[in-house]
Amino acid sequence: MMNRLILLALLLCCCSVPVFAQQKLIEPLINAWKVDDTSQTHRAEVGYAQLKLQKESRKTNLPQHQRLIKALHAYVGQNSDDRLKVRLTMYEILGKFELGLKILPQDSTNIYDCIKLAYKLKDDQLKAEVYTLCAEVGKGTNRYVLYNLKAIELEHKVGFSHFKYVHNRFFNVSLGLYQSNNYRKSIEYGLQCLTFKNVRKDTWDPRVYIFQLDIIGASYLKLNQYDSARYYYQQIIDTLIKTPDENANVQSLWLGIAKGNIGHTLILQGKEAQGIPLVNLQLQNSTAIKSYNNMAIAQNILAGLDFKYNRYQEAVSKWKQAYHWALQSEYYVVEQKLLALKGIVMCYRKLQVPDSAYKYDDLYNRLNNERLLELGSKQLSAIKTKIEFDDIQTNLENISTKLRQEKIIRNFILGGIFLLAVISLLLYNRQKLKVKHETEILNRDRMAKDLEIKEARERINSFALNIGQKEKLIRNLERTIKANGTDNLSDSLLNYVLVTDEEWLRFKEAFSKAYPLFFPRLKQIVAHLNPAEERLASLICLDLNNHQIANMLGISASSVARSKRRLKQRITVPEGQTLEKYICDLNDLV
């Protein structure tokens, strides 16, 4: 009997050792995460620093890290605390970043839920940390700039000294704004990033500094401020010469990038003899390490010079190579693809090869439309609106919380008097309100969709009416001019173009909203539909006559008639039905 008791005691001791060891491991993290004063960020950084050390030996540390996460979840599950939940979620996601694990959709949901918990805790410092991590999880979307801006706002409110990596927030915003073509704002945030160089020496990354100088220099280049652009690229060269990068390939690449951009500014200022060798150096250094985006940048510049001096065959060859390299790049190179495609189109037009010109022009238009849609979602004005909406939503949540609390108190008092009756009534009302709320949401969504379609159709009808009024005005002016004996002015009025590219873009957007299936159906019945045919078909649907369409497109009525005949030849129109009726029926089907 005694032997059995001893054996049982030894078994319990063996089982408790791992538990005790795990408890010792998580204790420092839990103690740091419970802190709610301004030292909380620096305390939490100790745990994050350990994750960075584990990154060096991922295979060895991954099982240990997973056991630690499991133990932390067990502790938080037994000790429910919103602050610990937020910290654990952040720690788990940061661990995935550092150990190279895949970020799952559930991770995104969890970190966004942490925003609500941080608001509930009314802790701006914790909110700033959560927004920072939300930005990393949402990298590559318009939320990337949004959440970095929100983090900066909160870090400024709490005090920058309480955060280690403030400069990274400014860098991220500068990069995001540059990618959305907001160059002046990108420079503004980039310069603020540089102010931390001598303040955050312990966390300052030299490569981030180089990259930030590049973004500022590139922004000035886009704004045609060549002297300012050269200044910041020269700073890159001076920095790398004074403190070379430990990686020889990185050192060579950035020297090539800086000198290539300086060469580009010189070429743009007419100093080609000085600039071309520098751009060739960028191409050479980039090719050596297969940096495809920088290879494409340099090749686009050199191709532009060939085109300038009428060397069209050489230019088209270089632009095709630049486009090929841009396709292979993993970085943001849409602009380089567009530059290459536009150059190829110009060369083929000069070489009088219309089929090839049309092919690459179609590629250019499709890619450019995608880029315009992406840029629209990234505009800073839209981002600020979302931030303001986020603040309003938070205020509404606070008000709703207070209203719910008041309702609970009121119902509690009434419950003391009419307990059974009130409970029954509350259960009934709760179900009724839920159904009503769900119904209101469905009705509101449906009304919003109907209103959007109605507004789009009204804009199209107004557009068509405006065309008719303009055409009538032109006819009245023609009669007046002819009556005064100035026929030559009448001829010039016939060539007047009533719609700009910008108006066409707005028209097409509204038309697609009003009749979302029209253009897809048109493309099904017309193979390889070109932009001119697409434009003609949409105007036919507005019930415009040939003269009105002619005034719209800046061509003669006879040209419109010919275009209609060509379009009809490409469409199988049922016998006895006109082209106009057939195309308009596509709208009736929507």
Side-chain angles (χ1 to χ4, degrees):
M1 184 67 178
M2 183 62 69
N3 291 335
R4 290 180 180 179
L5 290 173
I6 294 172
L7 182 61
L8 180 61
L10 289 173
L11 182 62
L12 290 173
C13 289
C14 291
C15 292
S16 63
V17 168
V19 175
F20 179 75
Q22 291 293 342
Q23 188 70 25
K24 293 294 288 184
L25 283 174
I26 69 173
E27 187 175 341
L29 291 173
I30 296 297
N31 291 336
W33 293 352
K34 287 181 178 179
V35 175
D36 60 2
D37 59 28
T38 53
S39 68
Q40 61 178 294
T41 304
H42 290 299
R43 288 175 182 265
E45 282 291 344
V46 176
Y48 304 152
Q50 293 174 355
L51 289 174
K52 294 181 184 295
L53 293 176
Q54 293 177 5
K55 183 178 180 180
E56 302 300 326
S57 53
R58 175 186 170 186
K59 290 184 178 179
T60 304
N61 291 305
L62 183 55
Q64 179 182 347
H65 175 73
Q66 291 173 334
R67 288 194 297 270
L68 179 62
I69 292 294
K70 185 177 180 180
L72 287 167
H73 273 290
Y75 180 88
V76 174
Q78 296 171 359
N79 302 272
S80 182
D81 183 291
D82 288 339
R83 184 176 298 277
L84 291 181
K85 289 179 183 177
V86 173
R87 288 291 181 192
L88 174 55
T89 300
M90 293 174 65
Y91 186 80
E92 191 169 5
I93 293 175
L94 283 167
K96 288 190 173 185
F97 278 128
E98 294 299 337
L99 296 173
L101 301 177
K102 184 178 180 181
I103 299 296
L104 303 174
Q106 186 59 45
D107 295 318
S108 300
T109 302
N110 291 341
I111 191 62
Y112 297 144
D113 287 342
C114 286
I115 295 177
K116 299 177 184 178
L117 292 176
Y119 271 101
K120 182 180 175 181
L121 292 167
K122 298 180 180 180
D123 188 333
D124 287 338
Q125 187 164 347
L126 184 60
K127 280 190 283 185
E129 292 185 58
V130 175
Y131 274 118
T132 297
L133 191 52
C134 283
E136 293 303 312
V137 172
K139 186 173 288 186
T141 69
N142 59 345
R143 292 177 299 184
Y144 181 64
V145 176
L146 163 67
Y147 289 127
N148 273 297
L149 282 170
K150 192 65 179 178
I152 289 174
E153 174 192 329
L154 292 169
E155 287 175 356
H156 181 265
K157 182 178 178 181
V158 175
F160 287 146
S161 62
H162 300 301
F163 303 89
K164 274 192 172 184
Y165 298 95
V166 178
H167 53 283
N168 285 348
R169 306 289 79 73
F170 286 97
F171 168 77
N172 292 339
V173 173
S174 178
L175 175 60
L177 292 173
Y178 175 81
Q179 291 175 342
S180 62
N181 292 3
N182 199 330
Y183 304 121
R184 295 192 185 280
K185 279 292 181 181
S186 176
I187 292 170
E188 177 184 326
Y189 281 92
L191 293 176
Q192 290 183 72
C193 171
L194 297 183
T195 62
F196 289 92
K197 182 175 184 293
N198 297 319
V199 178
R200 289 279 187 261
K201 292 184 178 180
D202 56 329
T203 57
W204 187 262
D205 187 341
R207 290 184 181 175
V208 171
Y209 177 61
I210 295 295
F211 200 176
Q212 183 64 80
L213 290 173
D214 176 45
I215 294 171
I216 297 173
S219 296
Y220 276 122
L221 185 57
K222 291 292 186 181
L223 295 171
N224 300 325
Q225 298 182 28
Y226 304 128
D227 291 340
S228 296
R230 273 200 298 273
Y231 171 79
Y232 284 97
Y233 281 113
Q234 186 59 50
Q235 280 202 43
I236 293 177
I237 296 172
D238 295 342
T239 301
L240 291 173
I241 291 174
K242 182 179 179 181
T243 310
D245 194 282
E246 59 187 17
N247 186 313
N249 286 337
V250 173
Q251 175 81 1
S252 173
L253 175 64
W254 275 110
L255 285 174
I257 291 172
K259 291 181 180 180
N261 278 281
I262 290 174
H264 190 193
T265 63
L266 293 170
I267 290 171
L268 291 172
Q269 290 181 316
K271 302 174 184 178
E272 296 170 1
Q274 297 173 254
I276 291 174
L278 297 176
V279 176
N280 278 321
L281 177 64
Q282 179 183 6
L283 180 59
Q284 176 185 339
N285 289 8
S286 302
T287 304
I289 61 171
K290 289 184 169 49
S291 177
Y292 291 109
N293 59 317
N294 287 295
M295 291 159 63
I297 291 170
Q299 191 78 319
N300 272 328
I301 297 170
L302 296 173
L305 284 170
D306 284 333
F307 183 84
K308 177 181 178 180
Y309 292 107
N310 304 329
R311 298 190 292 267
Y312 304 127
Q313 289 290 0
E314 293 88 338
V316 76
S317 176
K318 288 180 180 176
W319 266 319
K320 283 186 176 181
Q321 184 64 67
Y323 180 67
H324 173 71
W325 285 336
L327 289 175
Q328 291 182 271
S329 176
E330 299 177 356
Y331 297 98
Y332 184 85
V333 290
V334 174
E335 181 182 4
Q336 298 308 314
K337 293 177 187 176
L338 289 172
L339 285 173
L341 288 172
K342 185 176 182 181
I344 293 169
V345 172
M346 292 190 301
C347 285
Y348 277 130
R349 285 175 178 169
K350 290 290 185 181
L351 293 169
Q352 297 183 348
V353 186
D355 291 343
S356 296
Y358 173 76
K359 170 188 172 183
Y360 284 98
D361 189 46
D362 185 53
L363 278 174
Y364 173 84
N365 287 326
R366 276 188 288 165
L367 184 60
N368 192 43
N369 287 337
E370 292 174 4
R371 176 171 171 268
L372 290 174
L373 289 173
E374 182 182 1
L375 288 176
S377 68
K378 289 185 177 180
Q379 289 302 314
L380 186 59
S381 58
I383 292 171
K384 286 184 176 178
T385 301
K386 286 192 70 178
I387 293 175
E388 292 169 359
F389 173 79
D390 182 59
D391 290 336
I392 293 171
Q393 186 179 32
T394 302
N395 292 333
L396 289 174
E397 289 175 356
N398 292 335
I399 293 172
S400 298
T401 301
K402 291 180 180 179
L403 289 174
R404 285 195 298 270
Q405 291 173 348
E406 292 174 0
K407 185 177 180 180
I408 291 172
I409 294 172
R410 185 176 65 250
N411 290 340
F412 180 79
I413 295 173
L414 292 174
I417 304 172
F418 305 102
L419 184 60
L420 294 176
V422 170
I423 290 175
S424 301
L425 183 61
L426 284 174
L427 291 173
Y428 172 79
N429 285 340
R430 182 178 180 182
Q431 183 63 26
K432 185 178 179 180
L433 287 172
K434 181 180 180 181
V435 173
K436 181 180 178 181
H437 180 64
E438 291 174 350
T439 304
E440 287 176 350
I441 291 175
L442 291 174
N443 289 336
R444 188 163 58 248
D445 291 343
R446 186 175 64 253
M447 291 174 63
K449 289 293 182 183
D450 292 343
L451 180 61
E452 184 179 359
I453 292 175
K454 181 181 177 182
E455 290 177 348
R457 292 186 178 182
E458 286 177 353
R459 287 199 296 272
I460 292 172
N461 293 335
S462 175
F463 185 80
L465 179 62
N466 187 41
I467 294 169
Q469 290 173 344
K470 290 183 178 179
E471 195 258 350
K472 183 178 179 180
L473 177 62
I474 286 179
R475 295 305 174 196
N476 290 337
L477 288 174
E478 286 177 357
R479 287 194 291 271
T480 301
I481 291 170
K482 288 180 179 180
N484 293 330
T486 53
D487 293 338
N488 57 328
L489 291 176
S490 177
D491 294 337
S492 65
L493 282 172
L494 293 175
N495 295 322
Y496 183 65
V497 179
L498 296 177
V499 179
T500 64
D501 289 340
E502 184 179 355
E503 288 174 326
W504 269 116
L505 187 61
R506 291 200 301 269
F507 164 76
K508 186 173 180 181
E509 181 182 359
F511 193 98
S512 297
K513 285 183 179 179
Y515 305 102
L517 297 180
F518 176 77
F519 286 123
R521 287 176 174 172
L522 183 63
K523 290 180 180 180
Q524 287 178 352
I525 63 174
V526 183
H528 306 296
L529 185 71
N530 63 48
E533 291 168 338
E534 187 179 63
R535 187 176 297 183
L536 175 63
S538 63
L539 294 178
I540 290 173
C541 284
L542 295 181
D543 199 21
L544 304 180
N545 59 40
N546 286 5
H547 287 289
Q548 291 171 328
I549 295 175
N551 287 327
M552 271 289 299
L553 302 178
I555 59 178
S556 66
S558 59
S559 295
V560 174
R562 283 196 300 274
S563 297
K564 284 185 176 181
R565 286 196 296 273
R566 285 195 296 269
L567 182 58
K568 186 174 182 181
Q569 290 173 357
R570 300 188 62 197
I571 300 176
T572 305
V573 179
E575 186 175 353
Q577 190 175 19
T578 64
L579 172 67
E580 290 80 1
K581 178 68 167 59
Y582 182 73
I583 289 179
C584 286
D585 283 347
L586 295 178
N587 257 351
D588 295 337
L589 293 172
V590 177

